[in-house]
Amino acid sequence: MWRYPRKRLWQCSRWISNLLPVKVIEMSVGIYIHVPFCLRKCNYCDFISYPFDAGLAASYVYALEKEMKLYAGNMPGEQRDVRTVFLGGGTPSLLSGEQLALILDNCRRYFRVRDDAEITVECNPGTVTKDKFALMRGAGVNRISLGVQAYQPGLLALLGRTHSFMEVAEAVKACRSAGIENISCDLIYGIPGQTGADWKETLDRVLDLSPVHISAYCLKVEHGTPMYKDVASGRVTPCDEDTELEMYQYVIGFLADRGFKHYEISNFALPGMEARHNLIYWLNEEYLGLGPAAHSMLDRHRFSNEPCVASYIKKLGKNEPVIEEKKSLSIKEQISETIFLGLRLLDGLDTRAFIRRYGCSVADIFAPQLKKLTDLGLIKIAENRIRLTEKGLPLANEVFMEFI
Ligand code: SF4
């Protein structure tokens, strides 16, 4: 469930006059659609989501079409060429199969979705059936990202998840029988009380299901969440950093032994099964976010939508734009983002592509930082790439700070 870093990289502005930036962009984009409903809030979650309500969900689907229509009327033709669509949340699989199909039909009506586009829907176990997957497949969905998180019932309960591992296995089976084989599983390690043996058992049981992609995230206890309060009050003891590091190193070795390529800090894929949509973020390419709280990056502007679903529906009902914050990125900011996002990839930052894009080399701007990080053994520069080393991987955030 990777998102663009939630840290606000832009300053607040009251930008509502222009819906879109002015420069024509000659490249395809990814579309992210935020579906802001969940059965209940997980204890660790700070994403924007609301309790599922069928009436509100129907109004949301209608409003989403209006937002697409507004963009379609304002975007240059080239920009409407779409190579990935990602329905994330929230829990998109709470919508009916018909609603998910309608959203994708509308995408095709208002944008040029390529025939070979990767179309992903995030699903939670317990909210999907074979029939729903079949409707998704019929609508062009070819990738499912399943929120698994852990195997042990006690850890799932601590996280506030609403499903069991048995429902995970049933969801995978239903997905396959509907003909969707590209299945990714989201996992969490570093959960309070989770042992190394728990983590190994989770990985064993998940690999029994034969996913082609795994995202393994270290739990971050976010301010304002129920888990944060539990930790602050001492009711729950957070996982220590050494255990987190051991779990991270374990998953890297475990998945490498099973043929998975570790291609991004937290992501692993069988050959050719990397998440094409998320690669757009890591390569700092362009994407359009639709739905409440969705973020976009288009033509050197980063912007985000109104987060409140009721306001989002109301504004679109009056054909008003729903962009809440917008920032024009300076060249320096674009360069910084391209470097630290690119370094998330294990293949590293392509230095020749960087020169083609910015007309200068990374060394022209950051020579002292590159020397310092190389001397510390945190990065390696070779074969036209700058990569994090094994030592640098767990210290990625410290490395990124050097380029900001
Ligand atoms: S299902 Fe996902 S988005 Fe919804 S509350 Fe849980 S973690 Fe957050």
Side-chain angles (χ1 to χ4, degrees):
M1 203 176 276
W2 186 86
R3 302 281 184 279
Y4 187 81
R6 298 175 70 75
K7 185 176 144 193
R8 297 281 157 112
L9 292 169
W10 57 87
Q11 297 159 340
C12 184
S13 78
R14 294 215 180 95
W15 182 80
I16 54 168
S17 54
N18 294 314
L19 187 61
L20 288 164
V22 282
K23 185 174 171 282
V24 174
I25 294 169
E26 295 176 0
M27 57 188 295
S28 65
V29 298
I31 288 184
Y32 172 79
I33 297 176
H34 190 71
V35 182
F37 305 109
C38 288
L39 278 178
R40 57 157 281 184
K41 199 81 183 163
C42 298
N43 293 335
Y44 58 96
C45 178
D46 73 337
F47 294 130
I48 300 286
S49 71
Y50 302 89
F52 180 72
D53 172 277
L56 197 61
S59 302
Y60 155 82
V61 173
Y62 183 66
L64 195 58
E65 184 191 349
K66 289 202 142 198
E67 191 186 8
M68 290 181 195
K69 201 171 176 181
L70 276 176
Y71 273 105
N74 284 279
M75 285 175 107
E78 294 83 348
Q79 216 169 21
R80 284 187 239 150
D81 196 12
V82 174
R83 68 181 191 272
T84 63
V85 181
F86 191 105
L87 275 78
T91 306
S93 53
L94 278 173
L95 299 179
S96 68
E98 289 80 3
Q99 286 172 318
L100 292 167
L102 177 60
I103 290 171
L104 290 170
D105 279 353
N106 287 334
C107 266
R108 291 194 183 85
R109 179 182 308 171
Y110 297 112
F111 305 97
R112 259 199 308 273
V113 180
R114 291 182 180 174
D115 290 344
D116 66 348
E118 176 192 85
I119 302 181
T120 306
V121 178
E122 273 186 348
C123 297
N124 273 330
T127 65
V128 278
T129 59
K130 184 182 169 190
D131 288 348
K132 195 182 276 193
F133 280 128
L135 281 165
M136 288 190 218
R137 181 161 190 247
V141 173
N142 49 31
R143 185 171 183 272
I144 294 296
S145 174
L146 197 62
V148 176
Q149 319 313 357
Y151 172 72
Q152 297 75 14
L155 293 179
L156 289 171
L158 189 106
L159 292 170
R161 302 291 296 182
T162 55
H163 59 82
S164 64
F165 193 83
M166 189 179 285
E167 287 172 300
V168 171
E170 285 166 1
V172 169
K173 194 173 164 204
C175 187
R176 283 225 172 84
S177 59
I180 305 175
E181 297 283 344
N182 188 348
I183 301 172
S184 175
C185 291
D186 276 3
L187 304 178
I188 296 179
Y189 63 92
I191 304 167
Q194 185 183 32
T195 64
D198 290 334
W199 182 226
K200 291 176 186 178
E201 187 180 31
T202 293
L203 289 168
D204 284 337
R205 295 293 76 79
V206 168
L207 264 286
D208 287 345
L209 304 174
S210 306
V212 299
H213 187 279
I214 300 269
S215 299
Y217 299 105
C218 185
L219 180 69
K220 185 163 185 291
V221 181
E222 300 285 357
H223 213 278
T225 59
M227 188 169 282
Y228 185 89
K229 288 178 199 132
D230 286 345
V231 168
S233 69
R235 259 183 14 94
V236 159
T237 308
C239 197
D240 65 78
E241 283 185 13
D242 288 345
T243 306
E244 287 174 357
L245 182 57
E246 280 169 21
M247 290 180 176
Y248 184 49
Q249 287 168 336
Y250 181 79
V251 67
I252 292 172
F254 176 88
L255 290 176
D257 289 346
R258 282 149 187 85
F260 283 74
K261 181 181 178 191
H262 184 196
Y263 73 101
E264 193 269 349
I265 290 175
S266 305
N267 285 278
F268 306 81
L270 290 179
M273 303 314 288
E274 293 87 354
R276 284 163 54 196
H277 183 81
N278 285 354
L279 281 168
I280 289 177
Y281 301 137
W282 298 318
L283 294 171
N284 203 16
E285 294 179 347
E286 302 201 298
Y287 53 92
L288 170 63
L290 303 167
H295 292 184
S296 303
M297 226 286 277
L298 287 175
D299 198 21
R300 303 188 306 275
H301 289 76
R302 193 175 290 292
F303 47 99
S304 65
N305 274 357
E306 159 70 57
C308 170
V309 66
S311 303
Y312 171 87
I313 292 167
K314 195 170 166 192
K315 284 183 181 174
L316 284 164
K318 294 189 273 182
N319 285 321
E320 289 176 7
V322 286
I323 293 168
E324 194 195 43
E325 295 183 352
K326 183 199 175 202
K327 184 179 190 296
S328 165
L329 298 175
S330 67
I331 279 287
K332 185 171 177 297
E333 288 167 319
Q334 293 170 50
I335 284 174
S336 289
E337 291 193 10
T338 298
I339 294 172
F340 71 71
L341 288 169
L343 285 175
R344 293 191 66 92
L345 294 169
L346 275 282
D347 279 348
L349 180 76
D350 181 335
T351 52
R352 285 181 300 189
F354 184 94
I355 292 170
R356 283 197 297 276
R357 188 165 178 178
Y358 296 109
C360 62
S361 72
V362 181
D364 288 338
I365 315 164
F366 290 110
Q369 290 86 344
L370 292 177
K371 179 172 185 331
K372 176 182 160 186
L373 293 167
T374 307
D375 290 348
L376 287 169
L378 299 178
I379 61 167
K380 185 176 176 197
I381 305 172
E383 298 157 351
N384 302 308
R385 298 264 171 186
I386 305 173
R387 296 180 174 84
L388 290 173
T389 60
E390 207 174 306
K391 184 180 171 191
L393 260 178
L395 300 170
N397 285 338
E398 283 79 352
V399 173
F400 300 160
M401 290 308 290
E402 294 290 333
F403 299 102
I404 293 176

